[in-house]
Amino acid sequence: MAPLFSVPSVLTTIIKSCLLFSLIVGMVSAQLSSTFYAKSCPNALSTIKSAIDSAISTTEPGEKNVGPNPSLRGYEVIDTIKSQLENLCPGVVSCADILAVAARDSAVALSAPSWSWTVDLGRRDSATASSAAVTGNIPLPTLDLSGLISAFSKKGFTAKEMVALSGIHSVGQASCRNFRTRIYNETNIDSSYATSLKSVCPSTGGDNNLAPLDLTTPTTFDNAYYTNLINKKGLLHSDQQLFSGGSTDSIVTTYSNNVGNLITDFANAMVKMGRLSPLTGTSGQIRKNCRKAN
């Protein structure tokens, strides 16, 4: 059975959540450890992995409508994992750590070839939430290359790391409202690809209709996304900007030709992002419900 899109988007969710948090709070030093739950909740990682593996086969898609990301999915999976861990180790494992591990496990389960990275643990959850901050700080799908580079460089990411992290769009879907302008008004798009998308996304209406971010291998985390960009088949404006005659064209070409380079750079960038601005120690809280503060 092919994986459903709700689970791959756990990967999208965690990267954008980490980026958003760093944009709002800034960078601080913190002590994180891959063995943080070894004594307090020794089965935490295996519980998360089992839930992700199960969800890939059985999850019903859900939707979280926030600003430019109405097609983010995967939150119901996080709810399930949190409930299981609260039964196993009440008040111990944070939602932030659940997201980080779930992102890794989703990528591993959906990747070709198989690979992984070590997730540092020990984050705590925010005691507040702001929908306005979400809307104002997540990079928009309408950004040009300079805007994308700027958004990531403010938190210490290079253009190469930004292109590597964009590989999250190898899986998942986007809403018509986020690619309508591209398929009807832009010229750097393959004409047959644009025509096929118009059947899903009319010029008016159908805002919530979905299309895969990677038309070639939409349920596999691989490097086909970058080949699509070279062929002018990026779904979002911000996707195609990575290969548009600018400074990142050569990086896209490298990843298209060598999946090994991609997975190494993506994993390193994920580790780096996971270390941005974590709440640790006595800061924040361990949420009982990942959808709201205690």
Side-chain angles (χ1 to χ4, degrees):
M1 178 178 179
L4 297 176
F5 287 104
S6 55
V7 177
S9 288
V10 173
L11 182 60
T12 307
T13 299
I14 182 57
I15 295 178
K16 292 188 175 180
S17 295
C18 283
L19 176 60
L20 171 62
F21 192 73
S22 65
L23 286 169
I24 297 171
V25 179
M27 186 178 293
V28 297
S29 60
Q31 297 298 318
L32 300 175
S33 169
S34 62
T35 60
F36 186 83
Y37 298 112
K39 294 182 179 180
S40 60
C41 194
N43 293 322
L45 298 187
S46 61
T47 298
I48 295 172
K49 184 180 185 303
S50 294
I52 290 296
D53 289 345
S54 175
I56 287 176
S57 298
T58 62
T59 291
E60 298 267 344
E63 185 160 355
K64 188 177 182 71
N65 294 301
V66 178
N69 292 281
S71 58
L72 282 182
R73 285 164 163 73
Y75 288 93
E76 288 78 9
V77 181
I78 300 303
D79 290 341
T80 297
I81 294 171
K82 180 60 175 174
S83 177
Q84 292 174 353
L85 290 175
E86 282 299 301
N87 289 332
L88 189 66
C89 311
V92 173
V93 184
S94 69
C95 297
D97 277 346
I98 291 172
L99 278 168
V101 176
R104 189 270 311 275
D105 291 349
S106 296
V108 170
L110 296 165
S111 64
S114 181
W115 54 290
S116 188
W117 68 90
T118 299
V119 177
D120 292 327
L121 303 168
R123 301 167 188 80
R124 289 170 64 84
D125 301 319
S126 173
T128 60
S130 170
S131 59
V134 173
T135 301
N137 286 282
I138 293 180
L140 296 169
T142 55
L143 283 180
D144 290 334
L145 180 60
S146 60
L148 291 168
I149 292 175
S150 176
F152 280 82
S153 67
K154 287 177 182 177
K155 294 305 157 191
F157 288 101
T158 65
K160 184 177 182 180
E161 290 169 330
M162 181 269 291
V163 176
L165 288 172
S166 296
I168 60 169
H169 284 177
S170 178
V171 290
Q173 298 185 106
S175 300
C176 168
R177 64 165 68 91
N178 286 328
F179 60 84
R180 177 182 285 118
T181 297
R182 170 158 169 69
I183 65 175
Y184 284 97
N185 298 336
E186 296 185 9
T187 57
N188 63 337
I189 184 170
D190 178 84
S191 58
S192 62
Y193 178 53
T195 298
S196 69
L197 288 171
K198 289 175 183 177
S199 66
V200 176
C201 182
S203 58
T204 58
D207 284 358
N208 294 323
N209 293 350
L210 299 172
L213 290 158
D214 174 358
L215 81 159
T216 307
T217 55
T219 59
T220 302
F221 188 83
D222 57 15
N223 61 342
Y225 163 78
Y226 299 95
T227 302
N228 293 337
L229 299 184
I230 293 173
N231 293 326
K232 298 183 178 181
K233 294 180 180 180
L235 181 64
L236 304 178
H237 173 82
S238 56
D239 286 331
Q240 194 59 55
Q241 283 293 295
L242 301 181
F243 193 87
S244 57
S247 60
T248 57
D249 281 14
S250 61
I251 305 171
V252 171
T253 300
T254 295
Y255 291 155
S256 173
N257 292 332
N258 192 322
V259 70
N261 286 348
L262 168 63
I263 61 179
T264 296
D265 292 348
F266 181 88
N268 289 337
M270 282 294 288
V271 171
K272 180 176 179 178
M273 180 167 281
R275 292 172 178 166
L276 289 178
S277 310
L279 295 172
T280 59
T282 59
S283 299
Q285 61 183 222
I286 303 298
R287 290 189 180 186
K288 298 177 181 178
N289 181 333
C290 293
R291 293 177 180 262
K292 61 182 181 180
N294 295 341

